[in-house]
Amino acid sequence: MNFVAQALNLNPLAAKRLEERNILRKAIIPHDFFSDVIDAFKLDKKFGEFEEGTVIARTTNGLEVVRGYPKIRRALTLFPTLKRHFKRDVVIEEKMNGYNARIVYFGKNIYAITRRGFFCPYTTEKAREMINESFFKDHPSLMLCCEVVGSESPFVVKDVYGKPIDFYAFDIREKKTNRAMPIEFKEKASEEYGFNIAPILEVCDKKVAHLRCREIVEKLGGEGREGIVVKDPRMEIPPIKYTASQSNASDLNYAFRFFNDYAKDFMLSRIVREGFQSFEFNESEAELEERAKRLGMAILKPMVESISKVAGGEKVTEDHKLRFKSREVLELFKLQLKKMGVEAEFSEPYFEDGYHVLEFSRVMVSTTDKISHLLKGNLW
Ligand code: ATP
Ligand code: MG
């Protein structure tokens, strides 16, 4: 593990602290599919300037550090938050709802790393198929920070984006320093190398941003899309995120379906967002009622469904279907899910239209057990 200290440029004392605090974990399952990586670790917590999910890898091309994707702070009210935070112009981008993957190039291949710092076999296979590696040949020090969206997602299943699975770059950053390239660079690169970027919806003066954002967010919400991320054109000021009411409701729907597996804070923060949005949008009685109904249904309906399921002798699960080109990568992905601590029941893989298909149900153990316990007559 000496190479980690070396790559992070730590003095011996800091290196020792890193070990004592036990925040380094293996980031990769050794396999031919990952042949350019000799060994890799990830940070399980923020350490000094290094974000959680930072990866330190020994590759066939030498040591590599891939910084974790930084947290994006959230505005609870658009005004005066945006006006206070930004300098002059702002860029309003769509916030896509999938999972975060950093795409890098090591040795002779593309690799996809999850937010927490795992090399994901499924995402890597898709990235190698869908992303043009010439970008990395021209810019070896950069990574593409992408949202991976679609219905064939191992983590966040959404139907609204058209394709079963797709990559949208939202930031281009230096792997080692996390310095973000200006938005213009991202737009040009997307044209030149042919990758998608998260839609840039508007560029405007920060003084009117709250008005434009409200309009955009209401429209996106109606289309089942998540919300926006507001950015500085030069990416010198940290971005801010803001989401649609429908998306908050959809998160709550998910969280209450699995109410005992989710942190109370996840639920509370989404309810509080609705309070601030309703206040800021100065809603009529009818609009407030619509919001209240959406919020209430998002909380109650999935809970009742989960209770019925367990009452009927079933488990509470989240179901996924993924397609792989390679059967070996499929098996590797199953191992990876275990490593990530996901409790899943797998179907027997089958071959269909040129793909190995894996179906799995993620079992929400805590929620299932809690409901079952209560239904037997036990007390909360
Ligand atoms: P965070 O830890 O960043 O606060 P989180 O893990 O709770 O966030 P989200 O609330 O989904 O996640 O918000 C941040 C995430 O949004 C980013 O990590 C990224 O994956 C995703 N995202 C989608 N579209 C964009 C975009 N256009 N710009 C930046 N991030 C985006
Ligand atoms: Mg997200």
Side-chain angles (χ1 to χ4, degrees), residues 95 97-98 147 226:
K95 183 177 195 300
N97 195 0
E147 197 72 359
E226 187 181 16

Side-chain angles (χ1 to χ4, degrees), residues 123-335:
T123 318
T124 298
E125 188 187 67
K126 293 292 174 217
R128 286 182 189 175
E129 204 178 297
M130 301 172 82
I131 296 173
N132 185 344
E133 48 178 53
S134 61
F135 169 78
F136 300 101
K137 297 209 165 124
D138 294 347
H139 304 284
S141 65
L142 301 182
M143 60 178 164
L144 294 181
C145 303
C146 292
E147 197 72 359
V148 191
V149 299
S151 52
E152 292 183 6
S153 168
F155 307 116
V156 182
V157 177
K158 292 279 165 194
D159 281 328
V160 291
Y161 298 107
K163 287 219 224 141
I165 192 85
D166 215 348
F167 291 78
Y168 288 85
F170 49 77
D171 281 358
I172 300 180
R173 291 172 176 263
E174 249 169 29
K175 282 183 284 195
K176 202 171 166 176
T177 64
N178 231 347
R179 186 169 69 91
M181 301 294 123
I183 307 254
E184 208 186 329
F185 178 90
K186 174 174 74 174
E187 285 183 281
K188 288 216 174 102
S190 114
E191 275 168 34
E192 186 173 347
Y193 300 99
F195 53 79
N196 306 319
I197 52 175
I200 294 173
L201 303 170
E202 179 138 346
V203 182
C204 66
D205 191 292
K206 69 171 186 176
K207 287 193 212 108
V208 295
H210 60 288
L211 300 170
R212 297 300 302 124
C213 285
R214 173 176 175 178
E215 233 172 81
I216 289 170
V217 159
E218 285 183 325
K219 178 159 175 290
L220 288 173
E223 294 164 355
R225 300 169 91 102
E226 187 181 16
I228 54 174
V229 181
V230 184
K231 298 180 177 173
D232 170 39
R234 296 162 66 174
M235 293 297 283
E236 284 166 354
I237 301 169
I240 287 183
K241 61 192 181 188
Y242 188 82
T243 46
S245 173
Q246 292 86 342
S247 165
N248 298 335
S250 142
D251 279 4
L252 285 167
N253 190 299
Y254 183 85
F256 276 95
R257 182 176 306 280
F258 312 123
F259 66 87
N260 224 46
D261 287 83
Y262 272 81
K264 305 288 171 281
D265 190 56
F266 183 93
M267 296 144 176
L268 181 65
S269 68
R270 279 156 182 80
I271 295 169
V272 171
R273 286 178 205 168
E274 286 299 278
F276 278 86
Q277 189 171 86
S278 180
F279 161 77
E280 182 169 25
F281 290 5
N282 200 7
E283 288 174 324
S284 68
E285 199 61 32
E287 284 165 333
L288 182 67
E289 234 161 72
E290 191 186 322
R291 184 186 294 272
K293 188 167 173 214
R294 178 161 62 229
L295 185 63
M297 285 303 263
I299 292 172
L300 262 182
K301 205 162 169 239
M303 258 198 302
V304 177
E305 281 167 8
S306 288
I307 298 168
S308 307
K309 228 175 162 189
V310 176
E314 287 176 68
K315 291 177 187 165
V316 182
T317 61
E318 183 191 55
D319 302 329
H320 299 268
K321 178 179 170 181
L322 305 179
R323 290 182 298 158
F324 295 82
K325 273 281 172 213
S326 146
R327 175 67 195 250
E328 265 189 67
V329 177
L330 181 153
E331 294 301 334
L332 193 59
F333 173 75
K334 286 169 71 176
L335 288 178

Side-chain angles (χ1 to χ4, degrees), residues 71-72 93-96 100 115 147 231 241:
K71 278 213 155 316
I72 299 181
E93 284 185 10
E94 177 173 349
K95 183 177 195 300
M96 319 272 302
N100 180 308
R115 185 84 190 268
E147 197 72 359
K231 298 180 177 173
K241 61 192 181 188

